[in-house]
Amino acid sequence: MEKILIVGAVGGGATAAGQLRFYNKDAVIKIFDRDSVMSYAACGTPYAIGEVIEDEETLLMADPEQFKEKRNIEVYLRHEVMGIDREKKNIQVKNLMSGEEFLESYDKLILSPGGTAVVPAIKGSDTADIFSLRSYNDMLAIKQYIESHNPQSCTISGGGFIGLEMAENIKELGIDVHLVHKSDYIMSILDEDISREIEKELLLNEVHLQTNAYITEIDGRSQTLSNGGVLETDFIIMSVGLAPNVSLAKDAELEIGETGGIVTNDYMQTNDPDIYAIGDASENFDLVTGEPKRVPLAWPAHRQAYIVAKHIIGEPIAKKGLLGTSIVKIFNLTAAMTGLNENKLRELEIPSVSLIHNGNSNAGYYPDHGKLKLKIHYDPNTREIFGAQCLGTKGVDKRIDVIATAMYAGLTVDDLQALELCYAPPYSSPKDPVNMAGYKADKK
Ligand code: FAD
């Protein structure tokens, strides 16, 4: 009977186990995770902190008993995988509760160890209440701190996805929020003009923003910034990045790529064909450029789990490149993007032109319509779409999802005008913004 071991029981790991059991009723499947909870929705944790999600336990999708009962999958929580012996095809596991160590053999091994929040070493860090948000237990720690300390102010370091979601959710609790961001503008995956609109939304909602600034020293409630400024706040949230958990893979001499992720082939196999790597710790490639790319988001982790399951059962489906399609809510605004942004196109010296369509999310006469900005980068000669970004109060997700689909299908920017998209006044216009962008490209 085939024996499949999985490291990591959340986004990619739990999904891979479920998919494998769906296709293979007989295999022995065991999952190991060093954490005390499994299969939770990490993406919901900022909203549980902000009490938009009232019961944080709704984020817990399954527990080991359910996995055993419903799927005959054994899950070992508080068990850390310490090493991989590729010759003998076993892993070394440490039971973190008892301290006991044991070996577990495998036929196939799936690594889905995710990443760890980067917490920079800053002088005086030990004098302050500092948190990062990576896991369910990180969320509980932040919630418990807020409940027990009743803080009035917070500094968030890092204006990426998690930093912005935390800024909104903490502000909504009535806590004064200072957001500091190291570079010139927040959300560096977006184009500057889109990011600047988000900055305005933050200011409108009384989040104090400082760009070109980072914390250099901490002394209790006081934080000195690189620009000479000083902030006085009750606690700090560090959201400056994610380091892929690749030490296990490195120690086992699995290849690590230029993005810092574990190199994988079309079927998510590492350079050892019996070991797969998926999720935040795996390296993939960019759909547009073919360059190595690592996208630490939930969609790739889930898709890759499926690709691995299909490969193991002998029905291989090759992975496709990633676009990094993503979305974020900032108070009343939503920003979404897919593909390459202006900076990346410039850096790679790819000749491109951009069009911007400013319009409405849906019929202008319908009460709750909103403004929408849609921006598309494309090749002026071949008309290939390189990437798109959208900003607005409504319907942003739909437009970017349509363009991401168009990119996967290899449609050109001119094809966008001919897409027959759904319309009724509450949702769109007879010519959807995506169609309008296609017509505009034609005029250009
Ligand atoms: P994870 O889900 O992080 O799971 C990795 C697991 O491996 C962890 O539980 C860890 O304990 C375990 N592990 C690591 N090393 C070992 C070891 N040696 N032994 C045993 N266990 C080990 N994505 C989106 O697409 N949209 C969103 O809105 C979004 N919001 C997010 C918000 C937050 C606050 C966070 C933290 C993430 C968010 N993500 C979002 C990202 C998404 O959650 C991840 O991309 C996804 O969970 C990745 O799955 P994974 O399996 O690679 O890693």
Side-chain angles (χ1 to χ4, degrees):
M1 209 180 294
E2 196 170 28
K3 187 170 171 191
I4 303 159
L5 303 185
I6 303 175
V7 182
V10 191
T15 311
Q19 297 281 356
L20 275 164
R21 177 55 80 225
F22 182 78
Y23 291 114
N24 183 339
K25 304 289 176 235
D26 301 322
V28 173
I29 305 174
K30 295 188 179 189
I31 320 181
F32 298 90
D33 201 301
R34 58 189 175 202
D35 210 341
S36 60
V37 281
M38 67 171 291
S39 196
Y40 58 84
C43 313
T45 54
Y47 301 97
I49 291 170
E51 295 176 0
V52 177
I53 295 164
E54 287 173 13
D55 177 4
E56 68 267 11
E57 290 196 1
T58 57
L59 301 181
L60 297 169
M61 304 296 176
D63 60 31
E65 290 70 36
Q66 288 166 334
F67 255 53
K68 180 70 191 160
E69 219 172 87
K70 292 188 185 156
R71 296 170 167 166
N72 192 24
I73 294 170
E74 287 169 44
V75 183
Y76 298 84
L77 297 181
R78 303 290 290 130
H79 280 67
E80 180 159 9
V81 177
M82 311 296 287
I84 305 168
D85 187 332
R86 287 171 50 195
E87 290 275 301
K88 296 189 178 137
K89 291 185 74 171
N90 66 38
I91 58 172
Q92 184 192 349
V93 185
K94 182 174 185 177
N95 178 334
L96 298 176
M97 297 165 291
S98 66
E100 175 212 1
E101 291 196 18
F102 58 93
L103 298 178
E104 189 81 42
S105 65
Y106 65 81
D107 295 308
K108 303 283 179 203
L109 175 65
I110 303 171
L111 303 179
S112 191
T116 301
V118 174
V119 179
I122 300 173
K123 192 177 164 204
S125 288
D126 55 338
T127 63
D129 291 311
I130 304 179
F131 301 88
S132 54
L133 179 61
R134 183 65 215 151
S135 65
Y136 187 84
N137 284 320
D138 290 344
M139 172 205 69
L140 286 184
I142 296 172
K143 273 180 84 75
Q144 280 158 9
Y145 170 82
I146 292 173
E147 274 160 29
S148 58
H149 287 70
N150 190 24
Q152 302 300 304
S153 55
C154 171
T155 300
I156 297 175
S157 177
F161 281 108
I162 295 174
L164 289 187
E165 289 181 349
M166 287 307 291
E168 173 179 341
N169 279 288
I170 290 193
K171 182 70 193 171
E172 297 288 14
L173 291 176
I175 297 171
D176 200 30
V177 174
H178 291 262
L179 178 62
V180 292
H181 186 73
K182 198 171 182 176
S183 10
D184 191 29
Y185 57 89
I186 59 168
M187 287 293 287
S188 55
I189 66 157
L190 296 171
D191 291 342
E192 181 173 351
D193 56 329
I194 306 276
S195 288
R196 294 288 181 211
E197 295 298 323
I198 300 175
E199 291 179 0
K200 283 186 203 159
E201 182 70 8
L202 289 171
L203 297 176
L204 206 66
N205 286 279
E206 295 173 349
V207 170
H208 314 286
L209 174 67
Q210 294 195 53
T211 51
N212 293 309
Y214 57 93
I215 302 171
T216 55
E217 199 173 331
I218 299 169
D219 183 7
R221 289 184 68 258
S222 171
Q223 304 118 39
T224 306
L225 303 183
S226 55
N227 61 7
V230 175
L231 291 175
E232 297 271 337
T233 60
D234 294 333
F235 71 111
I236 300 171
I237 292 184
M238 285 287 175
S239 58
V240 297
L242 175 89
N245 289 331
V246 292
S247 57
L248 260 185
K250 251 188 200 164
D251 292 348
E253 292 180 2
L254 298 178
E255 196 185 337
I256 307 298
E258 63 186 67
T259 65
I262 307 165
V263 173
T264 57
N265 69 6
D266 279 354
Y267 307 102
M268 307 311 299
Q269 287 168 297
T270 63
N271 52 307
D272 181 329
D274 290 322
I275 306 181
Y276 298 80
I278 59 176
D280 292 359
S282 71
E283 180 170 282
N284 298 275
F285 69 93
D286 187 285
L287 182 75
V288 179
T289 64
E291 276 194 325
K293 187 180 183 107
R294 205 171 56 78
V295 179
L297 289 173
W299 187 90
H302 282 245
R303 178 65 187 161
Q304 292 154 5
Y306 178 75
I307 288 170
V308 167
K310 290 295 261 185
H311 192 256
I312 290 177
I313 63 151
E315 294 175 12
I317 302 172
K319 75 182 179 197
K320 288 190 172 179
L322 293 174
L323 288 171
T325 309
S326 45
I327 189 160
V328 66
K329 172 183 178 300
I330 316 99
F331 296 99
N332 295 315
L333 268 187
T334 299
M337 63 89 67
T338 188
L340 306 182
N341 63 20
E342 265 169 8
N343 278 345
K344 193 72 191 169
L345 286 162
R346 217 173 290 133
E347 179 194 316
L348 297 176
E349 297 179 1
I350 298 175
S352 70
V353 288
S354 306
L355 69 84
I356 292 177
H357 170 70
N358 283 303
N360 289 324
S361 56
N362 53 301
Y365 54 79
Y366 193 82
D368 75 339
H369 71 275
K371 292 283 170 217
L372 190 133
K373 177 176 184 174
L374 178 61
K375 191 172 177 188
I376 302 182
H377 305 303
Y378 60 97
D379 186 317
N381 300 312
T382 67
R383 321 292 284 171
E384 177 188 355
I385 303 169
F386 291 140
Q389 310 202 357
C390 191
L391 182 84
T393 52
K394 213 184 147 194
V396 167
D397 50 346
K398 164 176 164 167
R399 277 64 194 214
I400 288 299
D401 281 346
V402 168
I403 293 173
T405 309
M407 290 175 74
Y408 269 104
L411 301 187
T412 66
V413 69
D414 304 302
D415 291 323
L416 298 181
Q417 56 175 264
L419 296 179
E420 184 187 352
L421 303 175
C422 59
Y423 160 64
Y427 302 103
S428 181
S429 298
K431 282 197 284 293
D432 188 85
V434 172
N435 300 138
M436 288 302 295
Y439 287 116
K440 275 201 170 152
D442 189 27
K443 282 190 195 134
K444 269 201 158 190

